[in-house]
Amino acid sequence: MPTPLTLLTICGSLRQGSYNRMVANTLPDLAPDGLTILDAPSIGDIPLYNADLQNSGGFPASVVALGDAVRAADGVIFISPEYNFSVPGVLKNAIDWVSRLPDQPFKYKPVALQSAAVGMLGGARSQYHMRQIMVFLEALVFTKPEVFVSFAKDKVYAERGVLTDETTRKMISSQLDGFAHFIRRVGDPASKGD
């Protein structure tokens, strides 16, 4: 019996009716046995990063809560749209705050990436920027299979807020299964020291 794992999802969109949120909502139904998937605390409550704010008042409670959730999880899945060929500002802001916490939470944390978009590329350019960010933070980025949900509005049941396209669901199931094996293979390097 494989070791049970808990994954944290961080959605990079705040929009009600977000296709990325619908993908995130669908993940628990697609998870293999032994995998529990939980939503991260809201990133929409995190103030814009300002070193003066950090130095005068410390870390906001919303940042501490997100950092604690990342630390507690066996892995993190970012599900995010692409804004202007890159990462949405709200997501980058949350990462910038969390990366400044003591014992930086993303260090050695297994991370998988997913994106959904109405266009043909499915948010690919955002993912490539996320890879750069996560490499700098020393996260362990899972590489294959990749998940780019293109033409997302045709692959969801908007009223229920879930992904319905069967081919896409199978692709995501395959990634979740591979990510679980990846996490079990790399273990917890943080516990072994540098």
Side-chain angles (χ1 to χ4, degrees):
M1 187 76 176
T3 307
L5 298 172
T6 299
L7 304 185
L8 187 74
T9 60
I10 301 177
C11 183
S13 176
L14 303 180
R15 182 176 72 85
Q16 188 175 4
S18 160
Y19 299 121
N20 287 274
R21 170 49 56 196
M22 293 181 199
V23 171
N25 291 345
T26 306
L27 297 185
D29 292 338
L30 302 178
D33 290 343
L35 204 62
T36 300
I37 299 180
L38 305 173
D39 280 334
S42 174
I43 63 173
D45 302 329
I46 297 175
L48 291 175
Y49 180 74
N50 181 333
D52 291 339
L53 180 61
Q54 178 188 337
N55 293 335
S56 65
F59 291 94
S62 54
V63 173
V64 174
L66 181 58
D68 288 346
V70 169
R71 281 194 197 95
D74 295 299
V76 174
I77 304 175
F78 288 98
I79 308 104
S80 180
E82 175 183 307
Y83 290 177
N84 299 318
F85 279 22
S86 191
V87 178
V90 67
L91 178 56
K92 181 63 165 58
N93 181 62
I95 293 168
D96 288 344
W97 266 112
V98 169
S99 71
R100 287 164 169 81
L101 288 167
D103 302 317
Q104 197 267 102
F106 291 114
K107 186 173 185 178
Y108 302 136
K109 186 65 61 176
V111 166
L113 305 174
Q114 300 179 359
S115 56
V118 295
M120 184 171 62
L121 296 182
R125 289 167 292 219
S126 174
Q127 283 200 33
Y128 296 139
H129 284 187
M130 279 295 298
R131 287 182 194 279
Q132 292 175 323
I133 294 165
M134 289 294 114
V135 165
F136 177 77
L137 296 178
E138 298 183 80
L140 306 174
V141 182
F142 180 65
T143 55
K144 292 181 182 177
E146 297 175 306
V147 171
F148 306 106
V149 183
S150 57
F151 307 114
K153 70 178 178 145
D154 300 325
K155 297 178 179 178
V156 300
Y157 183 178
E159 290 77 18
R160 287 182 42 220
V162 293
L163 177 73
T164 54
D165 181 72
E166 198 54 41
T167 300
T168 306
R169 288 169 64 93
K170 286 178 181 174
M171 177 179 63
I172 291 172
S173 291
S174 176
Q175 189 201 48
L176 293 176
D177 187 57
F179 189 41
H181 286 291
F182 174 76
I183 294 169
R184 291 183 177 111
R185 189 171 68 247
V186 300
D188 183 8
S191 69
K192 299 169 188 161
D194 288 328

